[in-house]
Amino acid sequence: MKQLLLPVLLLSGLTLFAQQRYWKLNNDGSIQWIVQPGQTHHDHIEMSGKQLSAIVRYGVQPSGAAYLNRKLVFPMLRTIPNDTRGNLIREFNGNITDSITIDGNHITETPRSFLIHGFLQTTSILTKDIVLERTLFPSTDHAAYLESYIIRNQGPAPVSVNIPLIDSNIVTDEKKGVYGSYIINTKLYNGGRMILRPREARHFWIVISARKKCENRYYYAATYELEKRRALVHELERELVLQTPDPLINRMFAFAKVRAAESIYETKEGLMHGPGGGEYYAAIWANDQAEYINPFFAYLGNAAGMESARNSYRLFAGYINPSYTPIPSSIIAEGAGYWNGAGDRGDQAMIGYGASQFALTSGDTIEAAMLWPLIEWCNTYLLRKKTADGVIASQSDELEGRFPAGKVNLSTNALAYGSFLYGSRLATALGKTKMAAEWQREALELRQHMEHYFGGTVEGYKTYKYYEGNNKLRSWICLPLVMGIYDRKDQTQAALLSPKLWSPNGLLTESGSSTYWDRSTLYAFRGLFKAGATDTAIAYLSFYSGSRLLGAHVPYAIEAWPEGNQRHLSAESGLYCRALVEGLIGFDPTGFRSFSISPRLPKKWNQLSLKNVNAFHTKFDLLVQRVSGKYRITVTEEGRSGLHFGWDGKKPLNITLR
């Protein structure tokens, strides 16, 4: 335990000198950056709807003027070649305020504040008496991005304002589009010349939309589109509500639900969740979707998320085959093609693990029966990849060769263990007792072989070698903890939180590198919580949450750095929520109406709650309270009286819903 004290002291130092916060929490559920005099700062945020995604870069320039840039992605307007990145994409620089005149004079927009609450809002000064309010957001269901403006005269005299009318088209080359030419239209609504009297305001809006050349134009009403966006955000805020004594974690959790669930696209193969980031849309991956986000949707309670999960497993199942050629890592271009450039990354383990968890938590026997052939095929594939050492071989891991992984890596094996374990539980629930026993045995044997094959001393820590010959600590040594394998937990925890792996930005992928990926950091939080390192993990999670939610790049979990410039990939936000639901609370499905929990509260917390959990074909609340040194747990299912349990904080508590 002494080895865990040094990282915590290190963390305290980081809190003092490495974390610059620009933003603050507002009582209405938003975060706000109030620009300080002379402050210069740029950031970017991704926001998505079913037909497009917008990456908005914004901030304050050294001159004090506003900075604004938009990168718009239209995933269903496919380009040639129709590959992973075959989305219609255009960037739009500039600011409408550069073209506005007031009393005949051009003006400079000076931002005073920025606010985020599922959309981006800005408040700026145009002149001493003229204020501009802007709201930027994507349409929830159209291929359109909107900027809604209100210009207000707060002075004592009328002013003359000219907002130039815009209605321009970009027509793309028909030879470069899968569906021929596309029209990208930029239109300003309700502009022109006007007199603004004292205390009078004018609403105008800009819409950038795209369509196939054969399609008709559409009229976009900013007020209506914004109401739909607000409704989506509020709907997500009402489901799976985490309430802890830490308002920072509560808000980060609420924001993460929005980013996790908004990045779903209406493709010709149905709804598809996509990572985003300016490149990854209208496509699914074995890690991002099958492993990371789909099990989260099983208890979030979002209909579009659930449907996207079903579609992803359906599409992967379309590639199962009698010769056991691996399922491709990614199905791309609205389902029209696939990508397997990295070979078998352990994809069958990712799919089997995620699909089994999803099926159990969903609690739908019909749906589980439909998923069963895919899960059975994946586990059979994994057994066929068993080596003489009793471990599972794969050509790479989810990092696709960015870092060495050998011929047998810890990630694939930990996920395969999870696939056998949860597959066994699913088999039991479906009455397949023989298969349940077989996979349970395979899981136990694989666990023993993993200890023998991967267990070792790396850089002074008795933890795991990521692959044979590995002599550097790797962030994915957290995976055994996530799977409930605690044989080396103390030294693994110490290694993860040591200066060799922990950085101010989370876990480094490999000791000695400068690369960090949030996905392994968030998995590590889940594993640390499950292993009982609650007070240590909560300190690091709070630090991480403060950085991601209120720091220099907000408000969501990111993919990686330096790759991708810390893109707001969507599934990482799902992993943030899973770190708390499955890690801190210890939620773990065991059957179609049963689960276990092991909610160990930090010392400074006396209670937490998780409301409106949507799982097992019902909705329920969890309340955890500290009472006389033990725990009192209340489970209240919708329409029923609560179930009350006492728990000693040791073995997970098993709960069966009535």
Side-chain angles (χ1 to χ4, degrees):
M1 186 59 68
K2 290 182 179 179
Q3 287 182 281
L4 290 180
L5 295 179
L6 176 61
V8 173
L9 293 175
L10 174 65
L11 178 64
S12 300
L14 291 173
T15 304
L16 291 174
F17 67 79
Q19 198 174 35
Q20 182 176 5
R21 294 189 178 182
Y22 291 86
W23 300 75
K24 68 181 182 69
L25 302 178
N26 285 337
N27 292 332
D28 64 356
S30 66
I31 62 170
Q32 187 175 25
W33 165 29
I34 298 175
V35 180
Q36 302 301 311
Q39 193 174 43
T40 298
H41 178 57
H42 286 186
D43 199 3
H44 58 90
I45 182 175
E46 182 160 9
M47 301 176 286
S48 306
K50 288 189 173 66
Q51 296 289 327
L52 90 157
S53 199
I55 299 172
V56 179
R57 292 175 170 81
Y58 62 93
V60 183
Q61 302 185 65
S63 65
Y67 167 75
L68 196 59
N69 171 276
R70 317 116 180 113
K71 180 177 182 178
L72 303 184
V73 183
F74 301 93
M76 275 57 71
L77 298 179
R78 307 300 302 167
T79 59
I80 297 173
N82 191 14
D83 56 15
T84 301
R85 295 171 175 82
N87 315 286
L88 179 64
I89 301 176
R90 287 293 187 278
E91 289 201 33
F92 296 86
N93 296 308
N95 191 341
I96 185 61
T97 58
D98 295 336
S99 302
I100 293 176
T101 60
I102 297 177
D103 289 335
N105 299 313
H106 287 281
I107 47 87
T108 297
E109 179 186 353
T110 305
R112 287 292 178 257
S113 69
F114 296 84
L115 181 145
I116 296 175
H117 195 181
F119 40 79
L120 175 64
Q121 289 184 330
T122 70
T123 301
S124 301
I125 303 298
L126 301 186
T127 70
K128 179 170 66 86
D129 296 323
I130 306 299
V131 174
L132 185 73
E133 299 167 6
R134 175 197 286 109
T135 305
L136 308 92
F137 60 98
S139 169
T140 58
D141 49 8
H142 291 287
Y145 160 82
L146 296 95
E147 294 181 358
S148 178
Y149 294 82
I150 296 176
I151 186 169
R152 299 182 186 276
N153 181 2
Q154 297 183 337
V159 295
S160 172
V161 178
N162 181 35
I163 303 169
L165 296 173
I166 301 170
D167 191 354
S168 64
N169 290 327
I170 298 171
V171 181
T172 66
D173 186 344
E174 65 178 354
K175 296 179 181 178
K176 295 182 179 180
V178 171
Y179 305 111
S181 290
Y182 304 129
I183 298 176
I184 305 172
N185 175 254
T186 303
K187 182 174 175 61
L188 188 144
Y189 293 77
N190 208 33
R193 297 182 181 275
M194 66 201 73
I195 299 296
L196 278 184
R197 297 179 178 84
R199 293 180 297 280
E200 190 176 14
R202 177 73 168 238
H203 180 210
F204 65 96
W205 59 99
I206 297 172
V207 181
I208 305 174
S209 61
R211 67 185 191 273
K212 298 172 185 175
K213 191 175 182 180
C214 62
E215 295 175 337
N216 294 325
R217 292 183 59 154
Y218 184 87
Y219 175 87
Y220 292 95
T223 301
Y224 175 59
E225 294 294 335
L226 181 56
E227 283 304 309
K228 288 191 293 182
R229 179 70 180 180
R230 289 183 189 273
L232 172 64
V233 173
H234 292 159
E235 174 193 338
L236 292 167
E237 287 179 333
R238 289 192 297 267
E239 303 297 340
L240 198 71
V241 180
L242 178 70
Q243 295 179 335
T244 78
D246 189 330
L248 185 64
I249 290 175
N250 297 344
R251 189 68 53 84
M252 181 75 177
F253 189 92
F255 271 47
K257 291 185 294 179
V258 173
R259 181 65 194 132
E262 70 173 349
S263 191
I264 296 172
Y265 304 94
E266 204 161 36
T267 78
K268 65 184 182 182
E269 278 290 347
L271 295 179
M272 283 189 188
H273 185 275
E279 296 183 335
Y280 308 117
Y281 303 90
I284 55 172
W285 279 259
N287 50 341
D288 291 72
Q289 280 68 50
E291 178 194 343
Y292 298 168
I293 198 74
N294 289 355
F296 169 66
F297 284 141
Y299 54 76
L300 173 63
N302 177 258
M306 288 294 289
E307 182 61 18
S308 73
R310 296 184 193 104
N311 282 330
S312 70
Y313 292 131
R314 172 177 59 84
L315 290 167
F316 281 125
Y319 286 87
I320 64 177
N321 58 87
S323 61
Y324 287 91
T325 301
I327 293 173
S329 303
S330 176
I331 298 172
I332 64 171
E334 299 184 271
Y338 65 86
W339 177 85
N340 62 355
D344 174 13
R345 309 173 308 157
D347 299 287
Q348 280 62 220
M350 299 172 188
I351 295 169
Y353 168 59
S356 298
Q357 279 190 312
F358 177 82
L360 283 166
T361 308
S362 299
D364 188 321
T365 55
I366 296 174
E367 194 163 276
M370 293 176 66
L371 285 171
W372 178 258
L374 172 64
I375 296 165
E376 184 178 31
W377 188 92
C378 286
N379 281 353
T380 303
Y381 175 96
L382 293 170
L383 292 174
R384 291 166 66 101
K385 289 294 179 179
K386 187 186 294 187
T387 70
D389 295 306
V391 288
I392 311 299
S394 61
Q395 293 170 281
S396 64
D397 63 3
E398 60 98 32
L399 286 176
E400 300 167 1
R402 294 174 177 88
F403 286 80
K407 295 180 180 180
V408 177
N409 66 75
L410 181 63
S411 175
T412 295
N413 281 267
L415 293 171
Y417 172 81
S419 188
F420 294 140
L421 180 67
Y422 287 95
S424 174
R425 294 180 186 178
L426 181 63
T428 299
L430 289 171
K432 301 177 184 292
T433 54
K434 182 178 179 181
M435 187 64 76
E438 180 181 332
W439 286 351
Q440 179 69 21
R441 185 180 67 253
E442 291 292 348
L444 292 174
E445 290 180 1
L446 179 57
R447 175 174 176 166
Q448 294 168 356
H449 292 306
M450 286 169 59
E451 168 62 24
H452 184 263
Y453 187 90
F454 295 106
T457 300
V458 182
E459 297 194 78
Y461 294 90
K462 294 179 180 179
T463 179
Y464 298 98
K465 299 172 291 182
Y466 190 63
Y467 59 91
E468 189 174 28
N470 167 233
N471 58 6
K472 293 184 178 180
L473 291 171
R474 294 287 287 269
S475 59
W476 283 120
I477 60 174
C478 66
L479 279 171
L481 302 180
V482 173
M483 299 303 167
I485 300 174
Y486 306 134
D487 302 335
R488 294 172 176 263
K489 73 171 186 176
D490 290 341
Q491 287 282 289
T492 298
Q493 290 168 5
L496 289 168
L497 300 178
S498 73
K500 293 181 180 294
L501 281 180
W502 179 263
S503 80
N505 289 295
L507 286 178
L508 300 174
T509 298
E510 181 179 81
S511 172
S513 76
S514 59
T515 300
Y516 55 87
W517 290 63
D518 268 16
R519 55 191 62 178
S520 57
T521 300
L522 294 166
Y523 258 101
F525 284 137
R526 196 196 318 175
L528 290 168
F529 282 128
K530 288 189 69 171
T534 306
D535 288 286
T536 299
I538 204 70
Y540 280 81
L541 180 67
S542 184
F543 177 87
Y544 166 91
S545 301
S547 176
R548 291 291 182 269
L549 183 64
L550 303 177
H553 179 39
V554 306
Y556 305 123
I558 56 97
E559 178 202 26
W561 189 88
E563 180 175 326
N565 191 27
Q566 301 186 74
R567 296 179 283 205
H568 284 149
L569 294 199
S570 177
E572 276 76 355
S573 283
L575 290 179
Y576 181 89
C577 295
R578 293 184 69 182
L580 288 151
V581 176
E582 299 169 41
L584 180 61
I585 298 174
F587 173 83
D588 194 19
T590 55
F592 290 146
R593 292 282 294 175
S594 63
F595 60 97
S596 65
I597 56 172
S598 48
R600 298 177 179 89
L601 296 176
K603 288 180 180 178
K604 295 182 180 180
W605 295 10
N606 287 319
Q607 74 172 48
L608 67 77
S609 66
L610 190 64
K611 297 183 178 180
N612 294 333
V613 182
N614 290 266
F616 313 117
H617 262 277
T618 189
K619 181 180 289 190
F620 58 92
D621 298 342
L622 290 170
L623 174 63
V624 182
Q625 299 168 296
R626 196 192 306 277
V627 179
S628 301
K630 294 187 178 181
Y631 294 99
R632 178 180 173 85
I633 297 171
T634 304
V635 180
T636 306
E637 189 176 355
E638 194 172 46
R640 297 174 181 267
S641 58
L643 300 172
H644 302 283
F645 304 90
W647 186 55
D648 60 7
K650 297 178 181 178
K651 292 184 179 180
L653 175 67
N654 294 308
I655 297 172
T656 299
L657 297 171
R658 291 178 293 196

